[in-house]
């Protein structure tokens, strides 16, 4: 198991307990069509039901959901499952079947030809989420991101 970088997901020692998540929603996506659209709609419904919709931060959370699902589709042969947790934070977990964490290392995006899309998604996740990381699991990996509940209620934007 590995959590990505010091400012991108690793918990400080006083946060070792982490947030609690009394609410959970799970969406199976293995082999499904339109995984990104389904996952985004599923997350939007959860944010609405939990009272965290209609604010800038909830839109940031939906963008992160889309990005994590897109990465699973482009780099890991699709998403197997989307798990959302609500409580002291909103946690998004995207499960896929590839356990390789090397591509997820923080830092600058790979050099690309100017004007070519891609390579900036996890930088976006890092900027928008309060915490994020990735862990290997028995049959692949999970990439996750968290948004603090107080930020979702207030709509306060992500880190600059």
């Amino acid at each position: 198991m590995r959590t990505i970088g010091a400012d991108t997901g690793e918990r400080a020692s006083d946060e070792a307990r982490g947030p609690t998540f009394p609410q959970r929603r799970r969406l199976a996506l293995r082999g499904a069509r339109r995984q990104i659209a389904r996952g985004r709609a599923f997350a939007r419904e959860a944010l609405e039901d939990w009272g965290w919709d209609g604010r800038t931060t909830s839109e940031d959370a939906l963008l992160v959901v889309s990005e994590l699902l897109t990465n699973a589709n482009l780099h890991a042969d699709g998403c197997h499952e989307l798990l959302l947790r609500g409580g002291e934070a909103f946690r998004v977990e995207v499960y896929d079947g590839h356990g390789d964490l090397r591509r997820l290392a923080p830092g600058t995006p790979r050099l690309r030809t100017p004007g070519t899309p891609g390579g900036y998604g996890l930088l976006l996740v890092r900027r928008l989420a309060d915490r994020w990381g990735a862990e290997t699991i028995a049959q692949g990996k999970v990439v996750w991101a968290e948004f603090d509940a107080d930020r979702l209620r207030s709509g306060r934007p992500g880190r600059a």
Side-chain angles (χ1 to χ4, degrees), residues 66-81:
S66 296
E67 183 56 42
L68 295 180
L69 291 169
T70 298
N71 282 350
N73 273 281
L74 291 175
H75 306 296
D77 298 327
C79 177
H80 291 187
E81 185 173 73

Side-chain angles (χ1 to χ4, degrees), residues 28-105:
L29 289 168
R30 184 178 299 188
R33 293 177 162 234
R34 299 178 30 98
Q35 289 183 347
I36 300 160
R38 285 182 185 196
R40 189 174 172 93
F42 182 76
R44 183 180 300 281
E45 184 177 304
L47 287 165
E48 288 172 3
D49 290 349
W50 296 338
W52 292 333
D53 60 322
R55 295 180 180 85
T56 301
T57 306
S58 64
E59 291 301 318
D60 289 349
L62 290 172
L63 181 57
V64 166
V65 168
S66 296
E67 183 56 42
L68 295 180
L69 291 169
T70 298
N71 282 350
N73 273 281
L74 291 175
H75 306 296
D77 298 327
C79 177
H80 291 187
E81 185 173 73
L82 172 63
L83 177 64
L84 305 176
R85 300 175 193 248
E88 294 173 1
F90 176 64
R91 182 175 170 111
V92 176
E93 298 177 9
V94 173
Y95 293 81
D96 65 45
H98 287 259
D100 185 7
L101 298 177
R102 289 176 292 180
R103 291 185 183 179
L104 299 175

Side-chain angles (χ1 to χ4, degrees), residues 91-157:
R91 182 175 170 111
V92 176
E93 298 177 9
V94 173
Y95 293 81
D96 65 45
H98 287 259
D100 185 7
L101 298 177
R102 289 176 292 180
R103 291 185 183 179
L104 299 175
T108 57
R110 286 173 278 183
L111 294 176
R112 303 215 183 261
T113 305
T116 304
Y120 296 92
L122 290 177
L123 291 176
L124 180 73
V125 170
R126 186 171 107 186
R127 292 268 309 223
L128 295 176
D130 291 306
R131 291 164 297 283
W132 79 278
E135 301 167 3
T136 56
I137 56 174
Q139 297 177 354
K141 72 177 169 298
V142 57
V143 181
W144 58 269
E146 290 179 356
F147 291 81
D148 291 331
D150 66 334
R151 227 179 105 208
L152 287 159
R153 282 189 288 274
S154 71
R156 190 177 77 243

